[in-house]
Amino acid sequence: MIQNDQLKHIFAKALLTRLFEARLIKLTAEGFLPPLLHPGAGQEVAQIAALSALNDDDPLLYSHRGVGYMVARGTSLSAMIADMAGRAGGTNNGKGGIMHVVDVPNAVYGESGTLGGGLVLSVGMGMALKRRRSDQVVIHFFGDGASNRGTFHEALNWAAVQKLPCIYVCENNGWAVSVPTSVSTAVENIADRAAGYGIPGEVVDGADPNAVMAAISDAARRARAGEGPSLIEIKAIRLLGHYAADPQDYRADAATVKERDPLVTLRQRVIDLGLLSEAEIDAMTADYEAQVEQAVETVKAAPLIDADQAFADLYA
Ligand SMILES: Cc1ncc(C[n+]2csc(CCOP(=O)(O)OP(=O)(O)O)c2C)c(N)n1
């Protein structure tokens, strides 16, 4: 059962994520940032709940959808903006933008250069952890579209055979850019594919932090006990477009989907449970907005990345 302080923590981080991302989208509209952000609005509650079930040093790989993972891990807001803006002070020296935040002190290892490519990287990390007899588990978030890549099959098969300490989390938001899952995927649930690899698969509601935390906790316990990987499918809601400037012409549910916003549901829940009052949430909102604004000012005052950086950190 989820503790009240955990629920409050998940709400607080999700609220900060939503406000931060909304500001990033505005900075995009203002032309300060390129429109390369893939908003995670609607998915942050589940992302943060999932990470709340793990230790902060458990390696995290994510796909491109949103900033909730990094906010959950405490990556600096100004570093993330700097990554997007190509300014000094970012995590990847302007070389990866917001999609490739790599914050090693917070165990954030970003994603690969191609969609689904990270799945084989997380298997490699799992192999390293197993060889070191580490107690850590790798958590890897990706979308339903990525689960149709060959790398998904290779990764899950090998992780299963080797009983690697990996948790595969598919955030199924029903879309891959403008392609609905119904026309790209034959199975009802991505988690049903777990049976094909001989590993546990579970479907959870992305609006229910209890269910998400419970599923990830179970998967982590199995992984740490040497019982191998799990596939958890989060039924998610993509509230916004594929990327920050997506006009969403293809989408009939763009207006109605807002009624299912998990952050609104969670807000009401923390109020009903007496964990936070409306006034306290207003004060938190003002505080977070001030933190975000401070981060924006820091990045605006920072110099653009030096071109010499293009050749730093090259190993081949
Ligand atoms: C190998 C490869 N193919 C295509 C793309 C372009 N691309 C980027 S995101 C995306 C859709 C991803 O959909 P999904 O995995 O469901 O994640 P979501 O965007 O819904 O979070 C595509 C096709 C890519 N980056 N790499």
Side-chain angles (χ1 to χ4, degrees):
M1 187 61 193
I2 198 164
Q3 306 291 323
N4 282 347
D5 57 339
Q6 288 172 320
L7 207 57
K8 221 163 108 173
H9 168 83
I10 294 166
F11 173 72
K13 289 277 189 181
L15 178 64
L16 173 58
T17 302
R18 181 70 61 91
L19 295 168
F20 178 50
E21 201 174 78
R23 186 68 179 100
L24 294 178
I25 293 170
K26 195 154 168 265
L27 288 166
T28 295
E30 290 164 7
F32 180 68
L33 298 177
L36 297 177
L37 174 77
H38 299 83
Q43 302 185 202
E44 8 10 20
V45 168
Q47 293 167 351
I48 292 161
L51 289 169
S52 301
L54 298 182
N55 299 327
D56 282 346
D57 67 347
D58 287 325
L60 156 68
L61 287 94
Y62 65 101
S63 194
H64 50 278
R65 179 86 35 220
V67 292
Y69 321 100
M70 279 72 81
V71 172
R73 280 292 168 89
T75 300
S76 132
L77 301 183
S78 62
M80 284 188 269
I81 305 173
D83 282 339
M84 276 188 91
R87 303 231 171 198
T91 70
N92 55 50
N93 282 325
K95 284 182 277 194
I98 195 77
M99 279 182 279
H100 301 279
V101 170
V102 176
D103 176 13
V104 175
N106 285 311
V108 178
Y109 291 92
E111 62 167 330
S112 85
T114 57
L115 184 77
L119 286 156
V120 287
L121 300 183
S122 55
V123 167
M125 287 187 122
M127 290 173 74
L129 293 183
K130 185 180 167 191
R131 179 168 291 193
R132 288 180 199 158
R133 299 185 202 288
S134 166
D135 193 40
Q136 291 160 291
V137 301
V138 182
I139 185 162
H140 188 156
F141 294 87
F142 53 93
D144 44 287
S147 78
N148 286 333
R149 292 236 27 230
T151 46
F152 174 84
H153 168 75
E154 292 175 34
L156 269 75
N157 183 58
W158 191 245
V161 168
Q162 293 286 316
K163 292 207 182 306
L164 300 181
C166 299
I167 306 175
Y168 290 100
V169 184
C170 179
E171 294 180 72
N172 183 352
N173 59 21
W175 295 100
V177 190
S178 54
V179 178
T181 318
S182 56
V183 304
S184 66
T185 306
V187 286
E188 166 81 19
N189 300 309
I190 306 294
D192 294 346
R193 293 176 171 170
Y197 309 106
I199 62 172
E202 189 175 344
V203 177
V204 290
D205 175 1
D208 181 352
N210 292 53
V212 174
M213 270 194 85
I216 302 291
S217 297
D218 284 351
R221 187 192 42 72
R222 283 192 298 270
R224 292 191 214 280
E227 293 170 24
S230 305
L231 174 61
I232 312 292
E233 176 179 2
I234 292 173
K235 295 291 187 190
I237 294 172
R238 196 188 85 187
L239 286 175
L240 301 176
H242 174 64
Y243 74 112
D246 181 357
Q248 301 192 74
D249 303 338
Y250 54 86
R251 197 165 174 189
D253 70 340
T256 55
V257 79
K258 292 190 173 48
E259 291 158 18
R260 294 157 54 216
D261 184 345
L263 187 57
V264 173
T265 311
L266 182 56
R267 183 183 194 279
Q268 197 54 51
R269 193 165 155 209
V270 294
I271 291 171
D272 291 347
L273 287 169
L275 305 180
L276 288 168
S277 66
E278 300 260 7
E280 283 169 324
I281 295 175
D282 288 348
M284 274 169 84
T285 303
D287 175 35
Y288 290 159
E289 281 174 344
Q291 287 182 34
V292 170
E293 233 31 67
Q294 177 65 52
V296 172
E297 291 316 312
T298 302
V299 175
K300 284 191 169 169
L304 285 167
I305 291 295
D306 193 321
D308 292 347
Q309 286 292 330
F311 301 100
D313 310 318
L314 280 181
Y315 297 99

